[in-house]
Amino acid sequence: MSSDVDVKTIRRDFPILSRRLGSHPLVYLDSANTSQKPESVIDAVDRHYREHNANVARAMHALGSEATQAYEGARARIAGFIGAAGPDEVVFTKNASEALNLAAGTLGARLGPGDEVVVSVLEHHSNLVPWQMVCGRTGATLRWFDITEEGRLDLDAAEREGLINERTRVVSLAWVSNVLGTVNPIARIAEQAHAVGAVMVADGSQGVPQLPTDVSALGVDLLAFTGHKMLGPTGIGVLWGRRALLEELPPFLGGGEMIGVVRMEGSTWAEVPHKFEAGTPPIAQAVGLGAAVDYLTGIGMDRVAAHEHEITQYALEQLGGIPAVHVMGPLEAVDRGGAISFTVDGVHPHDLMQLLDSRGVAVRGGHHCAEPLHRRLGVQSSARASGYLYTTRAEIDALCEAVVWAHDFFTGKLRGR
């Protein structure tokens, strides 16, 4: 897979990428945490507040109509971006965590003792803790996929153990691991889930920003993702769902706008997706996410994915050539996303992160909201580098040079130089 993305031109669209940190140019390799924003997204949010700011659905004046059109227009563009059947399948939330809590909270109304929910050991806490809470509340049992030594789901062990069976009610998995970069076979597992009548949920937080997304081909019933990892603002997330399923599920939060008729004796609910959007929604953030979708669509997600693959393969090769570095997860960019987690002999990831930052290189250090996975791999924490459509090979080279320098600093090799 070869990329024809003009990264040099793309980088001009991102004001922050021209920053310097002290004497060093910014090398931003933390896009799995949050992506940077192009000028068009920044301008869309600014213009909304300057020219169109009003509440949606409620205000009948001109500004209210403009805000509503912008908000619902963003919903329609996002629906098209992921191949949804229509805008009414797109529910706005404040982030992917809220979207997954919505999924767990509403599906949890169906669960009871004897029922089982299946996740995996590589999940982000956002796709683990809500299911733990629901199982604790309902008496359902939480079970999970283990991983192979390569860092992929152990499908053979799951089959031997009958992990997905007639008691399974929900299967909820990350599409792409935020630690190992592993791309999970969601469509294959969705078939197994549907064969036993279970609902298939996917956490697309790392997948939707990187890969062309078609919810029909993915085979899921619910898909959660977040705006800030795909060039959009913070404070906006999405839960896509099959309309028939969304209509069956109860509301998650109560309040304004999610109602049909309210009387003291009881209430009725609005149609989907508004049934799940109580109160004033993230209006400007939705507008910004719509602009981000326009930007990504203009480049083409096939090209974004190709560049991500190319830069990830290069990073794996370069990091793999440093003897003190140990990459976690698949070592080749095959069915692999852009997050690369690694450890360095003799250097704590937090110390490594700080020293790299002193040279302008921004990476993340910690357990990346995936503590059980790190425990499974026998490490307390790791460093993580993650590129995106604006990442260059020169930035990967700067990362590797900084890693070698940090290792030499902590192991004493720089003394006397």
Side-chain angles (χ1 to χ4, degrees):
M1 184 183 296
S2 178
S3 167
D4 63 350
V5 171
D6 186 350
V7 181
K8 184 176 181 181
T9 298
I10 284 174
R11 288 177 66 86
R12 296 193 192 113
D13 295 335
F14 292 79
I16 201 170
L17 297 182
S18 63
R19 271 202 66 181
R20 296 187 70 85
L21 299 176
S23 62
H24 299 281
L26 170 65
V27 175
Y28 187 77
L29 293 172
D30 198 19
S31 291
N33 196 358
T34 195
S35 66
Q36 296 302 340
K37 320 305 174 192
E39 196 82 58
S40 60
V41 170
I42 298 169
D43 287 348
V45 175
D46 179 74
R47 188 166 56 251
H48 173 80
Y49 280 128
R50 289 181 184 277
E51 301 177 11
H52 310 292
N53 185 47
N55 216 326
V56 296
R58 308 166 189 181
M60 295 299 104
H61 46 66
L63 292 183
S65 177
E66 291 169 2
T68 299
Q69 289 177 14
Y71 180 71
E72 295 300 337
R75 193 194 305 274
R77 299 207 297 286
I78 292 161
F81 185 73
I82 62 173
D88 54 0
E89 293 187 333
V90 171
V91 178
F92 283 130
T93 63
K94 70 174 181 287
N95 48 43
S97 294
E98 183 177 83
L100 289 163
N101 274 272
L102 193 165
T106 55
L107 289 170
R110 304 175 169 191
L111 300 177
D115 294 332
E116 295 181 354
V117 175
V118 174
V119 293
S120 80
V121 75
L122 57 67
E123 299 306 317
H124 188 283
H125 295 165
S126 294
N127 197 36
L128 172 60
V129 176
W131 300 109
Q132 290 176 332
M133 294 168 66
V134 163
C135 288
R137 187 167 65 245
T138 63
T141 299
L142 186 70
R143 303 183 67 195
W144 52 88
F145 283 91
D146 197 4
I147 55 172
T148 65
E149 291 306 308
E150 189 187 11
R152 302 191 185 277
L153 295 185
D154 194 337
L155 302 178
D156 292 338
E159 185 174 356
R160 288 194 303 270
E161 297 165 6
L163 184 64
I164 297 176
N165 58 64
E166 68 280 358
R167 296 182 299 278
T168 305
R169 298 292 175 263
V170 179
V171 179
S172 189
L173 297 173
W175 183 7
V176 180
S177 169
N178 73 308
V179 176
L180 305 180
T182 309
V183 178
N184 289 323
I186 296 297
R188 174 180 171 183
I189 296 170
E191 288 183 2
Q192 298 174 5
H194 292 152
V196 297
V199 174
M200 183 73 203
V201 182
D203 175 3
S205 298
Q206 300 292 333
V208 175
Q210 299 181 32
L211 302 170
T213 303
D214 182 334
V215 289
S216 297
L218 204 56
V220 297
D221 301 297
L222 297 170
L223 174 70
F225 58 99
T226 191
H228 73 96
K229 297 182 191 295
M230 51 185 290
L231 310 184
T234 55
I236 181 75
V238 172
L239 180 69
W240 169 85
R242 289 188 298 103
R243 183 183 174 97
L245 177 59
L246 293 178
E247 288 176 340
E248 293 174 12
L249 296 177
F252 181 56
L253 299 173
E257 294 309 311
M258 51 73 65
I259 45 81
V261 176
V262 177
R263 304 196 188 283
M264 293 307 298
E265 296 78 15
S267 301
T268 61
W269 315 132
E271 296 294 318
V272 297
H274 304 290
K275 178 173 69 171
F276 301 105
E277 295 180 2
T280 297
I283 304 166
Q285 291 85 349
V287 171
L289 182 53
V293 163
D294 290 344
Y295 187 91
L296 290 169
T297 300
I299 294 172
M301 287 305 296
D302 286 336
R303 299 173 71 213
V304 171
H307 178 71
E308 188 90 9
H309 176 273
E310 188 176 279
I311 206 70
T312 300
Q313 183 63 47
Y314 183 72
L316 288 169
E317 291 169 357
Q318 299 308 112
L319 286 168
I322 304 172
V325 170
H326 306 279
V327 173
M328 299 158 57
L331 300 179
E332 295 185 358
V334 178
D335 292 329
R336 197 191 199 291
I340 302 175
S341 298
F342 59 96
T343 59
V344 178
D345 291 340
V347 188
H348 191 282
H350 290 166
D351 294 329
L352 179 67
M353 177 179 64
Q354 288 186 307
L355 253 66
L356 264 56
D357 186 54
S358 74
R359 295 171 70 95
V361 179
V363 300
R364 184 172 176 181
H367 55 57
H368 319 309
C369 297
E371 191 173 354
L373 174 58
H374 279 79
R375 186 173 294 111
R376 166 65 178 81
L377 294 170
V379 295
Q380 188 269 338
S381 57
S382 62
R384 185 184 70 186
S386 51
Y388 201 20
L389 72 165
Y390 39 65
T391 303
T392 67
R393 289 192 173 210
E395 290 182 309
I396 301 302
D397 293 339
L399 164 69
C400 293
E401 291 169 6
V403 166
V404 170
W405 175 80
H407 176 258
D408 289 350
F409 177 88
F410 277 104
T411 57
K413 292 184 180 180
L414 290 179
R415 294 172 191 164
R417 292 188 185 180

